Amino acid sequence: PDGAVNWVFPRGMTVEKLCKIAQTPSAALGSSRRKPTAEDCAALIERFKAHDIGWFFYIGGNDSMDTIAKLSYDEMSSTPFKYDGQMIADFKDNSKVPQGKYNLYIFHLKGQHVNPEYRYPTKSFTKFTADSIHRTEDYITKEMKEYIAHYDNATLYNDAVMKSIFDIWRDKNTVVIYLPDHGDEAYDFRDHCGRQGGTRAEPEYFHCDNDVPFMVWCSDTFIDKHPELVQQMRAAVDRKGISLDVSIMLLRLAGIKTKYYNASRDISSPAYKPKKRIVYDRYDYDEVINKEKK
């Protein structure tokens, strides 16, 4: 029995009405000020399973992200850390969820995010200074060189953080994917740091904002168990891709068989087919970048 649950089935509704519901879901479907507990979320999952519900869209409010986290993860850190390395150490020492046969861990790193001066422990990772930056453009000042040096030091620290992640699973059957969500300017070609957000469709702007490293690290155990897959990933090094499709690649790496897997969108697959890379919802990235080559 479903108790007080009211099921709403929008079958037969016009597209116009469905669009209105999408814009005002709470008004159409109802809302509540109750903050779901962990027990509520567990009950929701059981209801979903009982009714073969495979997709869940949560109508958000003030506590929506907290609820989504409870529904999505077995464990989530709520402790703020000054440096990324502290977060990894806390996970290693204090995680209470036992490892199962299959596991997914997500670390949201600060990396070199503005301001990079505060992204690394200065006592142990100050390798670069303003004197290390040999830039000669007219607009470059000493303060800008200091910022660039901080960015380089934060990058050095980020490398050490990634090594600490690799070390946790070095002797396990593991794949680690490293992917920033965006790039940054650090006085690369003008007097500016940070992002410009697609306000100018020019090659330099798009390069700094959107070109990001995409790295796949495999443990020796994974390499031994999946030699063909590893070889295919190595063959994909120079392919053009977009972060939107990383989830498709994850399905293959995890060995998940599903109708939603599309090999033509998996950059590691021999069947991969490059598509237009649209950024800021409207620009063809490659068209803009190739302006400088014409």
Side-chain angles (χ1 to χ4, degrees):
D2 286 318
V5 173
N6 295 315
W7 296 99
V8 178
F9 298 95
R11 297 190 183 99
M13 291 187 182
T14 64
V15 173
E16 181 182 7
K17 182 170 286 188
L18 286 172
C19 288
K20 288 181 178 179
I21 291 176
Q23 294 172 356
T24 56
S26 296
L29 302 175
S31 63
S32 171
R33 298 302 299 170
R34 175 187 172 90
K35 182 176 180 179
T37 64
E39 291 74 20
D40 293 332
C41 293
L44 279 172
I45 295 296
E46 292 305 314
R47 291 281 174 81
F48 295 158
K49 291 178 179 178
H51 292 274
D52 195 27
I53 296 173
W55 299 90
F56 174 60
F57 297 89
Y58 190 73
I59 299 173
N62 294 334
D63 297 309
S64 59
M65 293 312 298
D66 180 60
T67 300
I68 288 297
K70 290 176 181 175
L71 286 167
S72 302
Y73 307 114
D74 295 310
E75 183 181 50
M76 184 173 177
S77 175
S78 58
T79 305
F81 296 99
K82 185 174 182 180
Y83 302 121
D84 289 335
Q86 295 170 330
M87 176 180 65
I88 306 306
D90 178 73
F91 166 80
K92 184 178 179 181
D93 297 337
N94 300 313
S95 176
K96 294 179 173 58
V97 176
Q99 292 190 15
K101 185 177 181 181
Y102 302 103
N103 307 277
L104 172 66
Y105 299 96
I106 300 174
F107 296 108
H108 187 180
L109 305 178
K110 295 178 181 178
Q112 302 93 321
H113 205 281
V114 174
N115 187 340
E117 179 180 359
Y118 306 112
R119 300 298 175 232
Y120 67 97
T122 55
K123 288 185 178 180
S124 50
F125 281 90
T126 299
K127 177 179 177 61
F128 303 101
T129 65
D131 292 337
S132 309
I133 310 304
H134 305 298
R135 298 277 298 277
T136 58
E137 296 93 328
D138 291 340
Y139 67 88
I140 291 289
T141 64
K142 182 180 180 181
E143 288 74 21
M144 292 179 187
K145 289 184 177 182
E146 289 174 349
Y147 182 95
I148 296 169
H150 286 310
Y151 196 98
D152 290 345
N153 289 327
T155 301
L156 181 67
Y157 178 62
N158 187 71
D159 290 346
V161 171
M162 291 306 301
K163 179 184 180 298
S164 70
I165 293 175
F166 301 153
D167 287 344
I168 295 174
W169 289 286
R170 195 172 292 278
D171 61 345
K172 304 290 194 304
N173 183 29
T174 304
V175 175
V176 176
I177 290 181
Y178 175 81
L179 178 67
D181 58 344
H182 62 80
D184 272 331
E185 286 183 52
Y187 305 107
D188 294 76
F189 65 95
R190 60 172 177 154
D191 179 4
H192 181 77
C193 62
R195 286 184 288 167
Q196 59 95 18
T199 55
R200 292 186 61 176
E202 298 295 335
E204 298 91 345
Y205 295 83
F206 272 39
H207 164 68
C208 291
D209 271 15
N210 297 286
D211 284 3
V212 294
F214 175 49
M215 180 177 69
V216 181
W217 175 89
C218 304
S219 67
D220 289 343
T221 302
F222 186 91
I223 293 172
D224 290 340
K225 286 180 175 290
H226 309 280
E228 183 179 358
L229 176 55
V230 171
Q231 183 57 41
Q232 290 174 356
M233 286 193 287
R234 287 172 173 161
V237 166
D238 294 323
R239 290 177 186 162
K240 295 180 178 180
I242 192 166
S243 57
L244 175 68
D245 287 340
V246 171
S247 58
I248 303 297
M249 180 181 175
L250 281 173
L251 292 173
R252 183 177 185 227
L253 291 177
I256 297 174
K257 307 297 182 184
T258 170
K259 63 181 180 181
Y260 300 107
Y261 174 74
N262 182 347
S264 70
R265 290 179 57 188
D266 176 0
I267 197 169
S268 70
S269 169
Y272 176 71
K273 296 180 180 178
K275 297 177 178 61
K276 282 188 177 182
R277 299 188 286 181
I278 304 300
V279 294
Y280 309 115
D281 294 325
R282 59 189 184 279
Y283 296 117
D284 184 321
Y285 170 82
D286 293 291
E287 277 190 5
V288 175
I289 285 294
N290 289 330
K291 280 183 180 180
E292 62 186 7
K293 299 178 181 179
K294 294 179 180 178

